Amino acid sequence: NTSLKFGHTHSFKGSTFFSLYCSPGRNLIRFSNHNVRNTTTLLLSQDGDMLYVGARDSMALKLNHSVIFFQLDWSPPDKDLEQCSMKGKKMADCPNFIRVLQFLNTTHLYACGTFAFSPRCIYIVSCFHCLKPDEGRGRCPYDPYQRNTAIIVDGELYTGTVADYRGNRPVISRYLSEGSRVDLKLDDTLGWLEDPTFIRSTFLPDEGKIYFFFSEVGREYDFIDKFIVSRISQICTSDVGGQRTLQRRWTTFAKAQLLCQADNELPYNVIQDIDTLLPADGAPEDDTLFYGIFTSQWSVNSGRSAVCSFRLTDIKSVFTGNYKVLNRDTLQWRAWVQEKVANPGECGLHNASDNVLRFVKENFLADESVRPVGRSLTMVSAEHNYTHLAVQRVQAANSRHYTVLFLLTESGYLHKAVLLQNGAHIIEEVQVFEQPQPIKSLKLSIPKGVIYVGTSEGVVKVPTANCSFYWTCAQCVLARDPFCHWDPVSRTCVIVSKIPTTLGQDIDGGNVEEACNSVSLTPSCPAGELVSVSLNEVIRIQCPAASQLSQQVWERPNSRLSSDLYLFLEDGSLSFVATPATLGHYLCLSFENGYQQTMAIYHVKQKSSPMTQSPTRFPRPQTYPIPTTQAVSRHGPELHTSFAKGPCYLRELVVVSVLLVICLSLLITMVLYALRQRCRSRTAPQAGTANRDSDRRTPVEQEALSGNNILSKHNGQALHSGHVSGLFCNGTLTGPNGHLPNTPSEES
Ligand SMILES: *[C@@H]1O[C@H](CO)[C@@H](O)[C@H](O)[C@H]1NC(C)=O
Ligand SMILES: *[C@@H]1O[C@H](CO)[C@@H](O)[C@H](O)[C@H]1NC(C)=O
Ligand SMILES: *[C@@H]1O[C@H](CO)[C@@H](O)[C@H](O)[C@H]1NC(C)=O
Ligand SMILES: *[C@@H]1O[C@H](CO)[C@@H](O)[C@H](O)[C@H]1NC(C)=O
């Protein structure tokens, strides 16, 4: 005990680093501190106000909305570290990695760490003063890379971990029992656990049971070499062991296979994480669901992962069914054929006869497997390896409940998905880490609406929703985010309130027309942006993506954007050289779920500047570096400056002026022509024909036709030069009736 070096309580102020990541629409807050690394264990207070972080050689407490960080050092003394490395362990693995962190009672926490491959535990008063050491064997792994699980129920610690240095004695045990209750562990019976990887444990009060989730070698499938199976096992909290048989051993342990498999396909057999979705208020506990992430052992399915859900009723019926029995001579499992003496897994067997206890000791593997809800996979991801998940039931605007999954990928993305009738819909993808990082823990705080992600580098806080990211009713509805709906009064996308409404949200259909129409759809269109340019300047205009699922398209009224003149960049922006042919209006449209919306409008206009530009010089777009700032580069290409300086250009200047005059008269002619053309085309039914016409026009014609005339009027309202207002949302562009194909008319 003297080797423990703890008792220092530090209160850090300002030594915590906050950094912001850039994921569009998401300001993620990361808190890290150079002393708080390898944040492997997170613990949230019930109200979500306090976050306890178990890290390497330390624990930290972060109060909500506060920079204050309490930190407790708990590191092995040098002597232990030396011994650890002398035993052949890497020095980097010898520190104390906190692996158990639980509330013991209202005043105390209980924590355990690997402590230089010699696990220790401590009692801590919540604010990190007053500590009492405790034994750590069997409560925490020796090796920081081994997974474990722990849960405290009524002051007793239930753990699943390996209990020896070599890591080959896995146990599920109970500690901290007092009085007539005794500490319990698994009997050494053959086959109770077969090289398991513990994932999680959860307590269901009404059942009086704790369920453990893990994967292990499935010896019952002896025809496949080292076939991994996922398991759920259970024990009763009321268990106190047998009187002669199974003394100080579980009398209520039973396990069953969790099968995440679609018909006629290889199973996703390796469980990665699982979370419990408690039933809605008033529903029976039997409706409890467990959502798990599963991957496959076979390379056919490598890189893929599946989500399966399991219902408590199904689990219970598997545990009350028949059990397999192991033939000790042949080491083969077979289905039970003898008379059933007792129900294995039943609570309250401690006073049972030896005969009954011998029976339950031999019969612990359920014959049936637990099949997923609907006998099918909840979702499959072909390209993402999900590693962690959290699940939440969310009440949508219409008071219906939806299940939302938060899934973390191996490469540092958080996917938020809503489960719909016909499958999962991914609402958004948030980049949590720039570099892929092994995620150590994920905690969802429903009352605070945040998710905490713990990694080797620190903890990142992600709000569960950011409705204000969607700035039109259409975007708000298309997101199909049960957290968000369109508020017609404030005309913003807001967090769903308690008052039920059928407006401004359509999770199942994503039908913008219905959800927004009734909200007296007003074209909440982006304000047009005036871009003043000099000729020959390279321009880049941005198009914000409506969502991951949207498709962005650039349009010019009545003209096609040929790839000879325009560069379509990967981020959706458009780059081109300002020439008389490319001046004018640009629209960025986004298509999703059959709905079209305008994301940005630009009016590219020539600067009213002295005639320093030569329209005769057309540099190719790629000869200039493309400026990365929004809209327009501040500096024109070099060409202009040298041109303006040299006096020898005087003759050219005159030529240019003459050319300009010719151009202008040509332009006026075209304008007149266009006006006439427009009067005629009023009766023409489709814009498509206009497009075909435009293909045959010269750039100058197109310019004259599009930018300066046709668009300058809408509903009889003149377009003020230099100010483009929200005109094009109900635009005259694509629909003959002055409306987009999928947009309801303003008046209705
Ligand atoms: C939500 O989105 C808006 C708009 O993109 C952004 O300004 C704001 O910072 C975001 N808030 C959070 C908490 O991410
Ligand atoms: C909590 O547990 C600790 C350690 O067993 C004990 O000393 C303390 O009195 C308990 N507190 C309460 C409120 O029961
Ligand atoms: C079990 O036995 C104990 C004494 O060994 C007794 O106090 C208790 O009432 C018994 N419980 C049941 C359910 O029979
Ligand atoms: C601790 O974090 C470092 C990186 O900061 C990482 O390389 C190492 O593997 C982590 N150790 C454990 C046990 O997770």
Side-chain angles (χ1 to χ4, degrees):
N1 287 346
T2 51
S3 64
L4 294 176
K5 190 179 79 188
F6 55 75
H8 317 290
T9 305
H10 306 287
S11 163
F12 285 87
K13 253 186 192 154
S15 68
T16 308
F17 308 114
F18 289 78
S19 53
L20 295 174
Y21 288 116
C22 271
S23 209
R26 294 302 214 144
N27 284 338
L28 313 183
I29 296 173
R30 168 177 142 174
F31 27 98
S32 58
N33 179 301
H34 61 281
N35 289 318
V36 184
R37 284 298 161 96
N38 292 87
T39 50
T40 45
T41 318
L42 299 178
L43 175 69
L44 266 173
S45 62
Q46 199 122 54
D47 57 9
D49 272 337
M50 283 181 279
L51 175 72
Y52 292 90
V53 180
R56 179 181 66 207
D57 286 337
S58 70
M59 274 169 279
L61 161 62
K62 198 201 157 281
L63 301 171
N64 202 32
H65 304 304
S66 152
V67 189
I68 300 170
F69 222 72
F70 293 101
Q71 196 200 330
L72 162 73
D73 285 342
W74 183 28
S75 51
D78 293 345
K79 182 170 60 74
D80 290 29
L81 291 173
E82 270 163 37
Q83 260 181 18
C84 173
S85 96
M86 260 162 54
K87 282 187 216 159
K89 299 294 176 190
K90 271 194 276 170
M91 208 52 187
D93 296 339
C94 285
N96 185 25
F97 294 92
I98 313 294
R99 299 300 293 274
V100 174
L101 187 55
Q102 290 279 310
F103 292 108
L104 181 65
N105 55 30
T106 50
T107 55
H108 283 64
L109 293 171
Y110 192 77
C112 305
T114 58
F115 212 85
F117 280 78
S118 170
R120 307 287 165 90
C121 297
I122 44 170
Y123 295 88
I124 315 161
V125 173
S126 301
C127 260
F128 288 169
H129 38 76
C130 181
L131 311 163
K132 194 176 100 195
D134 201 6
E135 165 99 40
R137 239 184 103 185
R139 307 172 192 197
C140 177
Y142 288 66
D143 185 330
Y145 295 100
Q146 251 154 7
R147 289 189 71 164
N148 67 305
T149 172
I151 185 170
I152 287 183
V153 176
D154 293 334
E156 291 173 304
L157 173 72
Y158 297 82
T159 61
T161 185
V162 288
D164 66 332
Y165 181 79
R166 289 167 182 278
N168 45 23
R169 262 202 60 225
V171 282
I172 287 177
S173 345
R174 182 170 76 199
Y175 296 96
L176 313 182
S177 302
E178 283 172 353
S180 66
R181 298 186 51 92
V182 288
D183 287 356
L184 293 175
K185 58 182 180 182
L186 275 187
D187 192 66
D188 290 329
T189 303
L190 211 57
W192 282 43
L193 294 170
E194 301 275 7
D195 196 10
T197 302
F198 292 104
I199 301 295
R200 275 218 206 187
S201 45
T202 188
F203 171 57
L204 294 184
D206 287 3
E207 299 291 312
K209 287 179 181 177
I210 292 172
Y211 292 98
F212 289 85
F213 298 90
F214 56 94
S215 61
E216 65 173 355
V217 176
R219 293 257 185 260
E220 70 267 36
Y221 297 93
D222 54 1
F223 51 92
I224 310 176
D225 197 34
K226 283 244 172 190
F227 177 47
I228 309 285
V229 293
S230 294
R231 300 273 196 219
I232 177 170
S233 78
Q234 63 127 62
I235 48 100
C236 298
T237 52
S238 62
D239 203 340
V240 290
Q243 275 164 349
R244 279 181 303 272
T245 307
L246 291 177
Q247 247 185 47
R248 293 184 174 261
R249 300 290 186 270
W250 298 112
T251 62
T252 53
F253 176 84
K255 67 180 184 183
Q257 186 179 354
L258 278 181
L259 203 54
C260 183
Q261 180 177 29
D263 289 338
N264 306 321
E265 279 182 32
L266 278 175
Y268 288 87
N269 56 328
V270 189
I271 185 170
Q272 300 295 334
D273 196 13
I274 195 155
D275 196 17
T276 311
L277 182 67
L278 294 175
D281 285 341
E285 196 175 41
D286 276 2
D287 287 349
T288 303
L289 290 170
F290 300 95
Y291 283 88
I293 298 172
F294 294 79
T295 55
S296 168
Q297 160 178 21
W298 294 283
S299 53
V300 200
N301 281 335
S302 77
R304 302 162 71 99
S305 48
V307 175
C308 278
S309 58
F310 304 92
R311 200 182 297 280
L312 182 60
T313 342
D314 298 337
I315 292 165
K316 281 165 72 177
S317 79
V318 165
F319 278 131
T320 52
N322 286 335
Y323 280 74
K324 290 185 202 300
V325 68
L326 182 65
N327 181 327
R328 302 208 165 261
D329 299 327
T330 62
L331 289 183
Q332 292 205 325
W333 289 91
R334 58 185 164 76
W336 180 244
V337 283
Q338 290 162 263
E339 189 199 343
K340 202 170 173 179
V341 178
N343 287 321
E346 191 180 286
C347 299
L349 285 182
H350 34 274
N351 285 359
S353 68
D354 288 345
N355 191 28
V356 165
L357 290 179
R358 268 199 303 275
F359 182 87
V360 300
K361 186 176 161 178
E362 297 292 323
N363 295 266
F364 52 84
L365 176 58
D367 192 28
E368 291 277 312
S369 298
V370 182
R371 301 205 169 251
V373 173
R375 301 225 157 194
S376 61
L377 313 179
T378 303
M379 84 186 254
V380 185
S381 175
E383 63 262 42
H384 295 288
N385 238 338
Y386 292 126
T387 60
H388 288 75
L389 96 167
V391 57
Q392 181 179 0
R393 178 179 292 105
V394 181
Q395 189 164 24
N398 60 6
S399 333
R400 279 187 53 196
H401 286 105
Y402 290 86
T403 302
V404 173
L405 298 177
F406 299 95
L407 298 150
L408 268 164
T409 73
E410 219 171 29
S411 47
Y413 285 91
L414 178 72
H415 287 179
K416 179 160 117 187
V418 59
L419 302 182
L420 304 175
Q421 213 83 59
N422 51 1
H425 170 79
I426 295 186
I427 299 165
E428 63 173 338
E429 178 179 79
V430 179
Q431 186 174 4
V432 186
F433 302 103
E434 279 171 67
Q435 302 289 322
Q437 305 218 11
I439 312 292
K440 293 301 166 66
S441 48
L442 173 74
K443 270 275 179 301
L444 166 68
S445 168
I446 293 175
K448 291 285 179 283
V450 291
I451 294 163
Y452 294 98
V453 184
T455 72
S456 295
E457 308 298 327
V459 182
V460 178
K461 176 175 160 183
V462 189
T464 51
N466 182 8
C467 301
S468 60
F469 179 59
Y470 309 110
W471 41 268
T472 65
C473 181
Q475 285 177 353
C476 189
V477 170
L478 282 172
R480 294 161 86 171
D481 188 334
F483 287 97
C484 303
H485 83 126
W486 186 256
D487 175 29
V489 180
S490 66
R491 290 209 192 142
T492 46
C493 192
V494 292
I495 287 274
V496 167
S497 61
K498 291 273 170 275
I499 307 143
T501 165
T502 53
L503 309 182
Q505 197 189 52
D506 181 9
I507 307 296
D508 294 294
N511 188 331
V512 174
E513 231 167 289
E514 261 170 42
C516 292
N517 188 20
S518 34
V519 185
S520 77
L521 185 84
T522 38
S524 168
C525 193
E529 198 173 324
L530 180 70
V531 181
S532 300
V533 298
S534 313
L535 288 181
N536 290 342
E537 198 176 333
V538 179
I539 297 161
R540 178 169 172 177
I541 47 183
Q542 308 277 341
C543 184
S547 85
Q548 292 274 341
L549 302 174
S550 67
Q551 208 190 346
Q552 287 145 273
V553 173
W554 282 99
E555 266 190 15
R556 293 191 65 188
N558 288 341
S559 101
R560 213 165 46 96
L561 302 186
S562 107
S563 52
D564 295 344
L565 291 176
Y566 296 96
L567 217 56
F568 299 92
L569 299 171
E570 219 161 80
D571 65 350
S573 61
L574 181 73
S575 181
F576 55 92
V577 177
T579 65
T582 58
L583 293 179
H585 286 94
Y586 289 85
L587 274 95
C588 163
L589 305 173
S590 162
F591 293 88
E592 186 180 347
N593 204 18
Y595 181 76
Q596 172 189 321
Q597 54 189 321
T598 309
M599 300 303 295
I601 301 167
Y602 296 95
H603 184 192
V604 180
K605 201 170 158 262
Q606 190 177 354
K607 262 186 210 144
S608 43
S609 58
M611 294 190 296
T612 48
Q613 292 93 4
S614 159
T616 51
R617 289 169 194 243
F618 279 58
R620 300 200 59 76
Q622 51 267 47
T623 52
Y624 295 106
I626 292 159
T628 48
T629 49
Q630 190 155 354
V632 198
S633 71
R634 298 268 165 273
H635 321 284
E638 301 254 327
L639 189 73
H640 298 294
T641 24
S642 59
F643 179 56
K645 262 188 246 157
C648 51
Y649 288 104
L650 197 69
R651 209 160 53 95
E652 277 182 58
L653 201 71
V654 174
V655 175
V656 166
S657 308
V658 171
L659 272 173
L660 204 73
V661 170
I662 296 170
C663 277
L664 275 175
S665 26
L666 204 71
L667 208 73
I668 289 162
T669 320
M670 288 304 145
V671 165
L672 291 173
Y673 170 76
L675 278 176
R676 232 184 54 200
Q677 188 78 358
R678 194 199 176 203
C679 291
R680 259 198 251 138
S681 70
R682 276 246 162 111
T683 48
Q686 260 304 336
T689 45
N691 271 345
R692 254 181 279 123
D693 280 346
S694 71
D695 292 349
R696 276 183 259 118
R697 289 183 191 124
T698 67
V700 180
E701 278 177 328
Q702 286 175 16
E703 182 54 35
L705 281 172
S706 54
N708 301 328
N709 292 295
I710 294 185
L711 287 171
S712 62
K713 287 204 171 177
H714 174 77
N715 293 346
Q717 176 193 13
L719 172 66
H720 306 294
S721 72
H723 175 81
V724 187
S725 57
L727 283 181
F728 306 121
C729 273
N730 280 359
T732 49
L733 301 172
T734 41
N737 58 350
H739 297 288
L740 297 177
N742 277 311
T743 318
S745 74
E746 218 174 317
E747 294 79 26
S748 60

